[in-house]
Amino acid sequence: MPVSRTAVVPVEEIFALRWAVLRTGLPRETAVYPEDVRPGTFHIAAYDESGAVQGCGTFFPDPLPGEAAPAYRFRGMGSAPEVRGRGFGAAALTAGLRECAARGAGLVWCNGRTSATGFYQHLGFTLTGEEFTVEPSGPHYVFVTKDLDRQ
């Protein structure tokens, strides 16, 4: 089942997937991010052919410490377990990168799960710094890209 489209959507469109995939077994409110209501925040959904959201991400203006370039950060990247490896996460992320570039970002970064290192590196991100822990998600690295025009 291929990705049929991506879109900038209201948070309500991606919330169920975000909660199910990234906060499995935790209360609903753990999937509400303070950035969801910040100015400049946008959410990306990647849809399958039936119109179901199978991939998502949330992007918001946030400077990367030590960098002068205007930056966006993302969090809440995820894809439904039954479609992992089929391009839904990559589609959501690349659509988000293009939208960040259109909004004037010079770089995009995240605190990404260590287990997703290969995914981020495959999409042109560089791992920076030391591994750290984010509760309740576990070990993370900072990933950064200035390659915002990925297709």
Side-chain angles (χ1 to χ4, degrees), residues 68-79:
Y72 264 73
R73 179 178 163 198
F74 65 92
R75 65 184 300 195
M77 277 299 308
S79 60

Side-chain angles (χ1 to χ4, degrees), residues 39-76:
T41 297
F42 66 92
H43 312 278
I44 296 284
Y47 298 91
D48 65 18
E49 292 171 326
S50 73
V53 176
Q54 300 289 2
C56 66
T58 295
F59 298 77
F60 51 95
D62 194 19
L64 177 64
E67 288 281 342
Y72 264 73
R73 179 178 163 198
F74 65 92
R75 65 184 300 195

Side-chain angles (χ1 to χ4, degrees), residues 2 12 36-38 40 51 59 61 65 72 77 91 100 108 110 126 141 144 147 150-151:
E12 295 79 17
D36 287 338
V37 295
R38 283 179 38 188
F59 298 77
Y72 264 73
M77 277 299 308
C100 289
V108 176
C110 73
T126 302
Y141 284 104
V144 180
D147 183 10
R150 294 186 64 86
Q151 298 297 334

Side-chain angles (χ1 to χ4, degrees), residues 55-122:
C56 66
T58 295
F59 298 77
F60 51 95
D62 194 19
L64 177 64
E67 288 281 342
Y72 264 73
R73 179 178 163 198
F74 65 92
R75 65 184 300 195
M77 277 299 308
S79 60
E82 62 273 14
V83 298
R84 292 236 170 92
R86 295 189 192 164
F88 288 92
L93 183 52
T94 56
L97 294 176
R98 285 191 300 272
E99 184 68 21
C100 289
R103 294 176 182 223
L107 65 88
V108 176
W109 67 284
C110 73
N111 293 329
R113 293 177 190 218
T114 299
S115 61
T117 297
F119 171 78
Y120 291 122
Q121 289 177 329
H122 177 73

